[in-house]
Amino acid sequence: MSDAVLFDVVEDGIAVLTINRPETRNCLARDVREGLFAAWDRFERDPELRIAILTGAGDTAFCAGGDLKEMVDTGMGVPPRDMFPLPYDSIELSKPTIAAVNGAAFAGGWMIAQACDLCVAATTARFAVTEVRVGRSSPWAAPLIHMIPQRIMMEILLTGRPITAERAYEIGLVNRLAEPADLMSTALDLARDVISGAPLSVRAARETVMLATEMGRSAALQAARHASESCYLSEDAQEGPRAFAQKRAPRWQGR
């Protein structure tokens, strides 16, 4: 891996991916895109890693979006479908992810923060879908309708104006706010909360949320029941109640 994206295993089960181009506001230039593809692949393939936190280097930008200079130089029209490394989209992941937004998350920066399962933001962070300001488009924003109200989504996309981290929290885009110095510790606390649960249960819970956003009620219920079978039939499903009855911490095996 290049130094465009740093990969650190900070503690058992938790990886931190850092976009490391603060001098260009961590924009999604080619080296960053390639670094993210490699980092997400490494995370998914490592059975010891259970959750990843994505953040940006520096305190100015999480990611300022696509490389506009590259778009001009290449005369880019419609971006190739696999151009950007989006978790659960162009990147196949089976594990949960957290965006730790340390600064501006504009255009493609909002896109990759939105793609993560959870989002923690510094109080100084800002979010914007700025494509209307530069003559581009934001089809990737379509899933926002499952996260925030329609009128708010409409204003954000039509005006391209930034919103504060506090506003992002108010509308449900952000899970937790933190002072800049506490951003990573807050993200790590959330990550620990997630992986304290049984691995198969966490996976089934994530699949249930995604199924519920993609299907009608009846179909989602049926699909979620099917997705939960491996969890119910696992050794961990017996270990959890046993540990509770014995008043001890469960010893998860992930099987």
Side-chain angles (χ1 to χ4, degrees), residues 133-218:
R133 300 268 167 176
V134 292
R136 305 295 288 180
S137 190
S138 52
W140 52 263
L144 262 181
I145 199 64
H146 298 293
M147 301 179 182
I148 66 176
Q150 177 181 322
R151 298 275 178 153
I152 296 173
M153 177 179 172
M154 191 74 78
E155 180 179 350
I156 287 168
L157 267 62
L158 266 57
T159 68
R161 293 191 179 280
I163 61 173
T164 64
E166 183 177 0
R167 179 59 171 159
Y169 178 77
E170 288 174 352
I171 64 177
L173 183 70
V174 168
N175 295 90
R176 297 183 184 179
L177 291 176
E179 293 302 317
D182 300 326
L183 176 65
M184 190 51 63
S185 62
T186 301
L188 285 168
D189 284 345
L190 182 55
R192 294 184 192 109
D193 283 346
V194 172
I195 66 173
S196 67
L200 294 178
S201 296
V202 170
R203 181 169 183 168
R206 188 190 176 280
E207 290 182 8
T208 296
V209 173
M210 299 312 296
L211 289 167
T213 63
E214 295 168 4
M215 298 180 171
R217 181 178 181 276
S218 296

Side-chain angles (χ1 to χ4, degrees), residues 68-89:
L68 296 180
K69 184 177 183 299
E70 178 187 15
M71 295 179 190
V72 172
D73 291 345
T74 61
M76 185 184 299
V78 179
R81 177 68 178 78
D82 59 354
M83 179 176 178
F84 295 107
L86 285 184
Y88 319 108
D89 188 333

Side-chain angles (χ1 to χ4, degrees), residues 48-70:
E48 299 300 316
L49 296 176
R50 294 187 53 199
I51 193 166
I53 299 170
L54 175 66
T55 193
D59 55 9
T60 301
F62 168 74
C63 173
D67 185 345
L68 296 180
K69 184 177 183 299
E70 178 187 15

